[in-house]
Amino acid sequence: MLEIRPAAARGLANFGWLYSQHSFSFGSYYDPQHMGFSDLLVINDDRVRQGRGFDTHPHRDMEIFSYVLEGALEHKDSMGTGSVIRPGDVQMMSAGTGIRHSEYNASREEPVHFLQIWIVPNRKGVTPRYQQQHFAAAEKRGKLRLIISPDGAEGSLSVHQDARVYAGLFDGAEQQRFELPADRFAYIQVVRGALTVNGQRLSAGDGARLRNVREIDFSAGEDAEVLLFDLRPNELPLY
């Protein structure tokens, strides 16, 4: 089964400096039908004005990753990490026993557009850690590239959960069939452009839940960028 979550149905927060669309319940947006999916808790599609950002704030016992689409995101945290995240970069922060961090638009001229995604960890109280890796467009062109996994396979970032995340770029005749392991769920988020997934047309901002599906076909992309989450078969996150 493929259940589409249209982009226009997402929750919205507009603070002037921040325009954020929520695929799942977050902050003041609450929808009991969209409280996350398996261990995937948050997908926030954030646009931050130049020179603005999120002041220092805490997190605990959550796996949080940022995926930048346009611009540059500056990160600082209580572990002493300071970095700038640009398109192609993936940042993973395991909050564990507790961490404080800030995120700012690193540019005074251009906005930054990025996804912030939360995955519920499979154990609490781990030592906080920070990871960042660049995945070149060539690694994702016409195929799905593993970017996050439990064991850091294939040069991916590691996550404290039985979850895997893939990123792909599809345009024109490029296509791929993904074989989902038995007894797994999948979530697809189109982050740019449009493409066809198992015969269904999805556009930027659209998401899709997949249950009882073994083969996922990606085709007919129009400058499409997509994330695929391979997840445990739980309906809602356990947190």
Side-chain angles (χ1 to χ4, degrees):
M1 186 180 75
L2 188 153
E3 177 188 350
I4 297 175
R5 170 71 158 146
R10 295 177 294 178
L12 173 64
N14 188 350
F15 299 102
W17 64 270
L18 168 68
Y19 183 87
S20 182
Q21 293 171 289
H22 308 322
S23 294
F24 304 114
S25 295
F26 185 86
S28 62
Y29 168 64
Y30 174 75
D31 183 339
Q33 300 302 313
H34 298 282
M35 299 291 292
F37 185 60
S38 180
D39 299 301
L40 178 60
L41 182 63
V42 169
I43 301 179
N44 288 349
D45 189 340
D46 291 343
R47 290 170 171 82
V48 179
R49 290 180 58 184
Q50 45 270 49
R52 301 296 299 273
F54 302 89
D55 291 332
T56 301
H57 58 281
H59 291 286
R60 186 182 181 92
D61 290 323
M62 192 62 64
E63 304 289 294
I64 301 171
F65 80 90
S66 297
Y67 190 93
V68 175
L69 297 168
E70 297 173 328
L73 184 68
E74 184 177 6
H75 166 94
K76 293 182 181 179
D77 63 42
S78 54
M79 294 182 291
T81 307
S83 65
V84 176
I85 310 153
R86 295 182 170 84
D89 294 338
V90 180
Q91 173 217 64
M92 169 65 75
M93 186 177 69
S94 300
T97 55
I99 191 171
R100 295 177 62 82
H101 79 136
S102 64
E103 295 168 297
Y104 275 86
N105 186 340
S107 172
R108 297 289 178 178
E109 291 79 33
E110 302 293 335
V112 62
H113 179 197
F114 71 103
L115 299 184
Q116 183 168 114
I117 298 169
W118 295 11
I119 295 173
V120 177
N122 55 15
R123 54 195 175 107
K124 296 183 177 181
V126 301
T127 300
R129 67 181 179 185
Y130 180 90
Q131 305 166 74
Q132 184 172 330
Q133 177 69 32
H134 183 78
F135 297 92
E139 299 180 68
K140 299 173 283 187
R141 173 54 56 200
K143 58 187 175 183
L144 293 168
R145 171 54 158 108
L146 182 66
I147 61 172
I148 292 173
S149 68
D151 55 0
E154 301 174 24
S156 62
L157 305 183
S158 56
V159 62
H160 292 296
Q161 186 50 268
D162 180 11
R164 291 161 182 81
V165 185
Y166 299 80
L169 302 172
F170 295 93
D171 194 48
E174 296 170 340
Q175 57 184 311
Q176 181 175 5
R177 170 168 291 179
F178 181 86
E179 301 285 343
L180 189 68
D183 300 321
R184 300 287 288 183
F185 284 177
Y187 193 88
I188 292 169
Q189 185 70 30
V190 181
V191 300
R192 192 198 315 269
L195 80 167
T196 297
V197 179
N198 285 11
Q200 299 290 317
R201 195 66 177 169
L202 301 177
S203 299
D206 290 345
R209 294 179 171 94
L210 291 91
R211 308 175 184 87
N212 302 318
V213 174
R214 292 298 305 276
E215 297 179 344
I216 307 174
D217 291 317
F218 297 84
S219 63
E222 295 179 45
D223 192 26
E225 187 164 3
V226 64
L227 295 177
L228 167 67
F229 299 81
D230 171 1
L231 303 162
R232 300 187 304 159
N234 299 320
E235 285 296 329
L236 294 175
L238 302 176
Y239 66 100

